Amino acid sequence: MVQSELADLEKKLRDAQLRPTKQRLALAQLLFSDGNRHITAERLHSDAMGANVAISLATIYNNLHQFTAAGLLREVVVDSSRSYFDTNVMPHHHFFHEQSGTLEDIEKNDLKVDNIPPLPEGTEISSVDVIVRVSSTRR
Amino acid sequence: MVQSELADLEKKLRDAQLRPTKQRLALAQLLFSDGNRHITAERLHSDAMGANVAISLATIYNNLHQFTAAGLLREVVVDSSRSYFDTNVMPHHHFFHEQSGTLEDIEKNDLKVDNIPPLPEGTEISSVDVIVRVSSTRR
DNA sequence: CAATAAATTAGAATTCTTCTAAACAAGAAA
DNA sequence: TTTCTTGTTTAGAAGAATTCTAATTTATTG
């Protein structure tokens, strides 16, 4: 890892009012150094173990939520049994592969959602999430 | 409840190859006798208790899944902490009210999804789910 | 440095869901 | 009917994901 990269991550955390602790920097590195990721807490935890970063699962959860609140991550709800966190925080949608449990981004401009009916009284849109669930073609 | 209604529910179960047991009939009544519902297992369980129907939570879960497999219900994933089951099995979408945790149907023809990009290699669409998350307008 | 406020942690606790193995009920056959 | 087979229900244990607790450690500020 490059020096400047670490400094960038530290700035990213500071800008989000999060102290750049050892654990946060390690997580930020795992999350943001390698393109878009869709990751679960357990997965991130084992990635950290694999990278010889000592960090408890509680801290993983704390930080995933703090990162999300700070707009550094976004939670994607596709599976009722676990939470996925997405490093792409721009508005966009997803393919969800049902067999493998993997997510793939769909850029917002590719896909169009039209004719949303009048919202329930007294509400405003907080997000529009499209999930295209796909499965392997059986042959 | 009307006699014919019970007979209809029994037929509905039989057609789905599910024996119309006391518990299943009671659940079918709670689920299908009163328009579209979006319900959680816990909620259905307390509805049953409220209607003086003795039924265990395990049976609720068993049957929600069996009904879903038989196409009598559809599972809606909107909240990573619990599962919702929808009695409307026609293709359609949802408003999800973030504060109250309630769902509301959006008829398929109201809303249009266009320009879905090419699917991942070797896959086919199993469903396209749109969730319009709304929250109360603060004033 | 010292003070204080924030972050981390292990492990317990919670919540939702599934499993297990035994008891029970439904439908089929005699 | 009665019997047989198989499907269903059940209580409670077990499991999985997540949150909480209270103590300890670490970062930042003065």
Side-chain angles (χ1 to χ4, degrees):
Chain A
M1 119 215 38
V2 209
Q3 170 59 44
S4 66
E5 201 185 307
L6 242 183
D8 287 354
L9 291 172
E10 180 169 339
K11 177 168 191 323
K12 187 165 189 157
L13 291 176
R14 280 193 198 285
D15 288 353
Q17 326 251 239
L18 297 168
R19 289 184 182 177
T21 62
K22 192 155 55 66
Q23 291 83 347
R24 280 203 187 116
L25 277 170
L27 291 184
Q29 213 162 261
L30 290 168
L31 289 168
F32 306 120
S33 288
D34 194 31
N36 280 162
R37 300 199 64 180
H38 300 98
I39 200 169
T40 63
E42 293 287 351
R43 186 72 212 292
L44 183 55
H45 189 237
S46 51
D47 279 12
M49 298 297 97
N52 275 308
V53 174
I55 186 168
S56 74
L57 197 49
T59 299
I60 300 270
Y61 277 105
N62 286 163
N63 281 297
L64 284 174
H65 290 136
Q66 287 167 151
F67 283 19
T68 301
L72 267 35
L73 289 177
R74 168 183 157 186
E75 192 175 350
V76 184
V77 180
V78 277
D79 178 332
S80 54
S81 76
R82 77 188 120 255
S83 292
Y84 286 77
F85 293 86
D86 191 342
T87 57
N88 179 357
V89 294
M90 305 301 294
H92 67 284
H93 305 293
H94 293 97
F95 283 118
F96 179 65
H97 194 288
E98 297 183 319
Q99 275 94 41
S100 65
T102 48
L103 282 164
E104 196 171 315
D105 286 354
I106 298 177
E107 289 313 315
K108 191 180 189 328
N109 287 341
D110 285 351
L111 186 151
K112 277 228 153 23
V113 179
D114 277 319
N115 282 359
I116 295 176
L119 308 187
E121 194 66 27
T123 66
E124 61 189 354
I125 290 183
S126 105
S127 71
V128 177
D129 299 339
V130 179
I131 296 162
V132 179
R133 290 172 197 273
V134 301
S135 59
S136 300
T137 45
R138 59 245 170 295
R139 23 186 91 269
Chain B
M1 116 214 42
V2 211
Q3 171 59 44
S4 64
E5 198 185 310
L6 242 182
D8 287 353
L9 291 172
E10 178 167 343
K11 179 168 189 323
K12 186 165 192 159
L13 292 176
R14 279 193 199 286
D15 288 353
Q17 325 250 234
L18 296 168
R19 287 186 185 175
T21 62
K22 194 156 54 67
Q23 291 85 342
R24 281 203 185 115
L25 277 170
L27 290 183
Q29 214 163 262
L30 290 169
L31 289 168
F32 306 119
S33 288
D34 193 29
N36 281 161
R37 300 201 65 181
H38 301 98
I39 201 169
T40 63
E42 294 285 351
R43 184 73 211 292
L44 184 54
H45 189 235
S46 52
D47 279 13
M49 298 298 96
N52 276 311
V53 174
I55 186 167
S56 73
L57 197 48
T59 301
I60 300 270
Y61 276 103
N62 286 341
N63 282 298
L64 284 175
H65 290 137
Q66 286 167 152
F67 284 18
T68 300
L72 266 35
L73 288 177
R74 167 185 157 186
E75 192 175 350
V76 183
V77 180
V78 277
D79 179 334
S80 55
S81 75
R82 78 190 115 257
S83 293
Y84 286 77
F85 292 86
D86 191 341
T87 57
N88 179 356
V89 295
M90 304 302 293
H92 67 286
H93 306 291
H94 293 98
F95 284 119
F96 178 65
H97 194 287
E98 298 184 318
Q99 276 92 43
S100 65
T102 48
L103 282 164
E104 198 171 314
D105 286 354
I106 298 177
E107 289 313 315
K108 190 179 189 336
N109 287 341
D110 285 350
L111 186 149
K112 275 223 153 29
V113 179
D114 276 320
N115 282 357
I116 295 176
L119 307 188
E121 194 65 28
T123 67
E124 62 189 354
I125 290 182
S126 108
S127 71
V128 177
D129 299 338
V130 179
I131 296 162
V132 178
R133 291 172 196 273
V134 301
S135 59
S136 299
T137 45
R138 58 234 167 309
R139 29 185 86 267

